[in-house]
Amino acid sequence: MGSLMVFFEIGLGISGFFFTSLMFYLNHRFVGHGPLGKWPLLRHMRRMHLIHHKNDYNEKRNKHLFLPFWAKLLFLGVFLLISLISISFAVGYISYALYYEWLHHRMHNDDQAGSFSKHHYIHHRKSARHNFSGTMPFIDKLFGTYYKKRLTTD
């Protein structure tokens, strides 16, 4: 029974990771680029996101790349609430948040040749109506927002 519990906890951690990537996708699509970003409580998030798009690969890119302090506090609060229910799910949740911050920085600074970087670059430079997931192309494929054309250098 002990090893079954270990697999269950690992499954909860993986679920937390992918759940958070889905929440990121929904936020990015419907707040950062969609109608929910016009709601009074969400306008600031949308404005910050659009500033990030405006300064995506220029010298100001790192000023608008990471989550602001208040958003990190919100993530921490949600993490603590989830921890009351499942530590494993919460670890998956926070793992995705840290993974995304790290990879997002790399995509805009160091690694623009990797597959995730190309996926993200298309969202910024080819079509802001596609590739909302940032790091999980299968989510865009699942919701029909995957950019299907090949990326060519223009």
Side-chain angles (χ1 to χ4, degrees), residues 108-120:
H108 283 277
N109 288 280
D110 307 323
D111 173 26
Q112 286 157 19
S115 62
F116 292 146
S117 295
K118 289 176 184 172
H119 181 76
H120 191 70

Side-chain angles (χ1 to χ4, degrees), residues 24-38 42-51 53 123 128 132:
F24 172 84
Y25 169 88
L26 294 172
N27 176 63
H28 190 190
R29 182 175 180 184
F30 296 109
V31 176
H33 293 278
L36 296 181
K38 296 175 183 170
L42 301 175
R43 271 191 209 131
H44 181 69
M45 286 179 66
R46 179 184 175 108
R47 191 172 24 246
M48 286 176 21
H49 182 69
L50 294 177
I51 289 170
H53 268 264
H123 172 72
F132 296 105

Side-chain angles (χ1 to χ4, degrees), residues 1 14 20 27 81 113 117 122 135 146:
M1 190 69 166
I14 292 169
T20 308
N27 176 63
L81 285 173
S117 295
I122 288 169
T135 62
Y146 182 75

